[in-house]
Each structure stands twice: as structure tokens, then as C-alpha cells.
Amino acid sequence: YAESGIKITLAGLLDMDLREMLILSEPYSSMNLRTVAKSIVKERLGPGKEADQFIQLIGELGTFGPLRNAIAHQRWTKGARPGSIRPFHLDIRSGSALLKGQSDTEKDWTAAELAAEGDRARKLNGSIVRYMQSSGIIDRMDRKHAARSSATESSDGSSTND
């Protein structure tokens, strides 16, 4: 998922071990990860095209939030259009219990529309990978990993982690 791509990119930008970045960022909600990522990019890269490109990708990730949350956390019911479904849930964030997904005016989804969103998410993943390649992040991470791997090997060629 694109959130992992954001975390991997941050590890490269900060010259951090990927495992440590994943541990550090695990508690973040998607929204908090996006906020932190934008702040890090602005701090590390400053203004410019490279920062703007990554911030745009982070923003695009945010467009998936409502559907992602509906898929992960809500039940689904019949939609208003033929062959459609819509998320159904109880929303208590306002301090009152509100049933969402009962009105025919609420967003529903066909299988084709859900598939199109999946395709859009895959394209975002590809864009994040291309960003990591063009910015040199993947090369830096590969070199760092290779240096760490060679440093942990003993003189006889066996790993010190065996």
C-alpha cells in the first residue's frame, strides 16, 4: 500500500534504517503519517520541485482515506443504483449517534468503480516508486544496506547473525 511507500521514502530521506522507520511510524494513523511526512519533506528538502513532487504524492494518498476506512471498518449494504453497495456505520464523533449509509443520496459504489479506485491506488504506488528512483533514494538505501551487510559478515564469509 502507498503508506508503506511513504514510510520507505522517509527512511531514505532521513538516512534511517528501514526497520527502525517502520517501527517509529507504526503508531501513526494515515492522516498523522501524511502530516509528519509533509513536515519532514519540507524540513529535509526545503522548497523546490523534488519536495513538491513528494508532497503531491502524499496529498494523493489522502484522497483514499474515506474509502479505505469504509473497506477496513464498516459494513456494507445495498446501494441506490443497480448492482451497487454503500458503506453503513454508526458515527458517534459528533456526540450523537448518527446512522450513515441509509440514505439513497449517500455515496455508493459499483464493482467497476471499486476496481477503478484500486487501479488508481496501484498507479499511486508506481508513482511513489518512480519518485524514489528518480530522487536517488533507492540507490542510497541499496548502498547503505550493502555496506551494513558487508560489515556484519565475518572474515570467513559467514554472517555474524547466524
Side-chain angles (χ1 to χ4, degrees):
Y1 185 64
E3 285 183 18
S4 296
I6 300 295
K7 293 174 183 182
I8 294 166
T9 303
L10 290 176
L13 283 173
L14 295 172
D15 199 29
M16 281 183 72
D17 177 76
L18 178 56
R19 181 182 165 105
E20 290 171 356
M21 172 53 75
L22 294 175
I23 292 167
L24 182 67
S25 59
E26 180 59 29
Y28 292 146
S29 67
S30 182
M31 182 179 70
N32 288 338
L33 175 64
R34 292 189 318 268
T35 302
V36 167
K38 286 179 191 177
S39 297
I40 289 172
V41 167
K42 289 175 183 177
E43 182 69 25
R44 182 56 61 124
L45 298 179
K49 183 179 176 183
E50 188 176 343
D52 292 345
Q53 287 174 330
F54 192 56
I55 289 170
Q56 181 180 350
L57 294 172
I58 294 167
E60 191 174 337
L61 173 61
T63 67
F64 291 98
L67 180 57
R68 177 226 172 262
N69 290 341
I71 290 169
H73 303 294
Q74 298 171 8
R75 291 176 176 81
W76 290 73
T77 189
K78 185 177 177 180
R81 297 176 294 154
S84 68
I85 58 174
R86 73 171 159 253
F88 175 80
H89 68 283
L90 184 64
D91 184 350
I92 60 167
R93 291 176 293 177
S94 66
S96 300
L98 303 172
L99 287 175
K100 302 283 185 151
Q102 290 187 313
S103 169
D104 285 347
T105 61
E106 293 179 78
K107 176 72 176 152
D108 61 7
W109 298 87
T110 64
E113 290 167 340
L114 289 170
E117 283 298 287
D119 289 342
R120 198 167 69 86
R122 281 186 286 283
K123 287 178 184 173
L124 174 59
N125 284 333
S127 294
I128 292 170
V129 169
R130 284 188 296 280
Y131 174 84
M132 289 190 293
Q133 290 169 330
S134 67
S135 65
I137 289 172
I138 290 177
D139 289 339
R140 275 197 314 271
M141 292 178 82
D142 284 347
R143 285 191 302 273
K144 184 174 182 171
H145 178 73
R148 183 179 304 117
S149 294
S150 64
T152 59
E153 289 184 6
S154 65
S155 60
D156 67 0
S158 64
S159 174
T160 56
N161 295 331
D162 289 343

